[in-house]
Amino acid sequence: MVHQMLAEFMGTALMIIFGVGVHCSEVLKGTKYRGSGHIFAITTWGFGITIALFIFGNVSINPAMVLAQCLLGNIAWSMFIPYSVAEVLGGVVGAIIVWIMYADHFKASEGEISPITIRNLFSTAPAVRNLPRNFFVEFFDTFIFISGILAISEVKTPGIVPIGVGLLVWAIGMGLGGPTGFAMNLARDMGPRIAHAILPIKNKADSDWQYGIIVPGIAPFVGAACAALFMHGFFGIG
């Protein structure tokens, strides 16, 4: 159990290092890749998740996936909270590591980049704030995400799952990520959001816990539960 929790912690941290790192690289003043755009960022998220899965193996790195696996009987319910906490803590630590790496660029960006934009380097935010619609977007994105992973996992070719999941993230990000930033993962959003709240960032914006809890917090669990039930009922995946 301890080994698996550490794998969930480190795998999530590495995912966040790639993901929050690419946003910092793309936005902050003085980086080599500033202004590279959303394709650059989404591709890095996809590749980063692939690498994390190759390194740490059979990990969820997402409390929504842990819930789906509990519903399918693949993970004991007693592990739901421990794994989820380990993943959120991994998200916190990963985001802090990125902040340390980009500390000079955060300082150079003071006064030029808005506090809200700085917050959005860490956590997701809607393009248009409409909580019911934002909730539906994250629910549906996660439904597709978890359903896709469960389907990909049925292919037993060695190495196909990390590559397939990376391609899935890339496709969802490009096709469905525009409204909310496609968190699909409490640890991906809440961990860096907590890091933003505790880090000594000057003139930082409010952490927007209302959005963080309702949309990237709750909606992925609903989407994952529906995905597990659908994939089990329709395809017999369990």
Side-chain angles (χ1 to χ4, degrees), residues 170-237:
W170 195 88
I172 292 173
M174 296 295 289
L176 306 175
T180 59
F182 73 113
M184 309 183 298
N185 183 340
L186 172 71
R188 177 269 171 270
D189 186 272
M190 192 64 68
R193 197 179 294 268
I194 293 170
H196 172 265
I198 65 177
L199 284 168
I201 299 170
K202 290 186 178 180
N203 302 317
K204 62 183 171 184
D206 176 82
S207 294
D208 195 4
W209 295 111
Q210 180 193 47
Y211 181 84
I213 292 171
I214 293 174
V215 179
I218 297 174
F221 288 116
V222 182
C226 291
L229 295 174
F230 170 72
M231 296 300 286
H232 178 71
F234 196 80
F235 294 107
I237 292 175

Side-chain angles (χ1 to χ4, degrees), residues 26 35-44 173-174:
E26 200 272 329
S36 296
H38 71 282
I39 296 177
F40 179 77
I42 293 170
T43 302
T44 302
M174 296 295 289

